[in-house]
Amino acid sequence: MRFKKALSLMTVTALICGSLVGCSSSKDSSGGSASGDVTVDIFQFKVETQEALQAAAKKYEESHGGVKINIETIGGGNDYGAGLRTKFQSGQEPTIFNVGGPQDVEDWASKLEDLSDQPWVNQAFEGTLGSVTTDEGIFGMPFAQEGYGFIYNKQIFEKAGIKPEEITTLAKLEEAIKILDSKKSELGIEAVMSLPAKEKWVTGLHLLNVALGNEFASGKEAYEAKKLEFKYSDQLKKILDLQAEYSYMPDGTKASLNSVDYAMQTEQKFATGKVAMIQMGNWTYQAISGVNEEIGNNLGILPMPLEGVNEDSIPVGIPMYWSINKDKSDEEKAAAKDFLNWLYTSDEGKEMVINDFNFIPAFKGYEDESLQPKDPLSAAVLQYSNDGKTMPWVFMGYPSGWGENVVGADIQKYLDGSMSWEELVKHAQDTWEDERK
């Protein structure tokens, strides 16, 4: 996630719009009729899968005559939430859009169609719908499962003589980082890591989640919490300081970490072999392999070790949900529901979800060997999940904008020296409580 919000990526400063037109006819897979001239406008956040989504839409159009699907994508370095608000305020309301969890469900309640009657609901894995479920219904369809941690270059680790399977604690991680740092010239790297502090979703959502994902059991619990204890703030500081100390600094100062964005971190530094590790998730596979296929095929994920708590685990969760605009015509809503159901439950759609989107599905029905994740990062996330070495994603339960605009911004101040860690923690607690009043 970018999501997200955050969440998402690949020459990430672009706003990309594509429209697709198809032909022929077919009865829709949900049992209703998607025939007739109907246009479905999709406004979505996941930049790295926009081409795959466009291809899926085209394939759907070819077998569903009269349906046209327009796709507009904004994410990565751009604020999806702000973009979505602009779309609605301008009167260009999409048919399908994305929500992240309890806070978004509350914020967009007047626009969300109840999806409780959709055929995919009973196929969703346990726990994946809780963040978008209220007494009134189910208001989102899971994108996929995603996980993040410290992505590493296996070739560099092997050359340095480091065994990643032994890195299961913060102390072991720090030891490995120091070895890499001592061998930079030999390994041909500029720095051990790259921290994109310009991307406040990386720090204020994902990094912060390592602490709050162990304070709260779920996004819903975080959403309902009136106060933030921030019980693991000291441990979080250690993870941030470790990254900052050993990350690429454009001008040699920690303040310059605030100028590093996703593209510089992932595509310019990591994907070119100039750094050995980055904090990022399985969604980056396509961007990395697009720059350097050899590096893309030699990736692994290390834990995000919160000292003394879940040191061998990574955060795993649902990055975003598909939602449908309740104010659209019945024909548009029927076509939108049918497209989403087709994408995730038809044989043709499932093959694309795995092989083109590189998703880890959040639904049953993908047990066949041919539908197992092919890229190394998704396979690694799935292995962490199977081993029970995960912590929840709770950042979608933060107050609206709080993670990025408060904590993410304050981490930038901490890095440039204008705010102490103690001040950051106090400000986080106070603003959380103010937002919950």
Side-chain angles (χ1 to χ4, degrees), residues 357-372:
F357 288 72
N358 292 303
F359 278 177
I360 304 170
F363 300 95
K364 302 170 188 174
Y366 289 77
E367 294 78 19
D368 191 88
E369 184 62 31
S370 67
L371 295 176
Q372 298 310 298

Side-chain angles (χ1 to χ4, degrees), residues 16-46:
I16 304 163
C17 178
S19 63
L20 306 166
V21 182
C23 56
S24 90
S25 63
S26 171
K27 187 179 180 67
D28 73 56
S29 58
S30 65
S33 174
S35 61
D37 294 328
V38 58
T39 297
V40 174
D41 292 321
I42 299 177
F43 187 72
Q44 67 100 29
F45 88 106
K46 189 164 275 298

Side-chain angles (χ1 to χ4, degrees), residues 28 33-42 60 66-70 92-96 113 323-340:
D28 73 56
S33 174
S35 61
D37 294 328
V38 58
T39 297
V40 174
D41 292 321
I42 299 177
Y60 178 84
V67 178
K68 178 181 179 182
I69 299 178
N70 298 322
Q92 300 175 354
E93 299 187 10
T95 316
I96 298 174
E113 176 84 353
S323 291
I324 292 175
N325 187 340
K326 67 185 295 185
D327 291 339
K328 290 295 183 175
S329 69
D330 289 344
E331 292 77 14
E332 281 183 60
K333 290 190 291 185
K337 292 173 184 177
D338 187 64
F339 170 67
L340 292 177

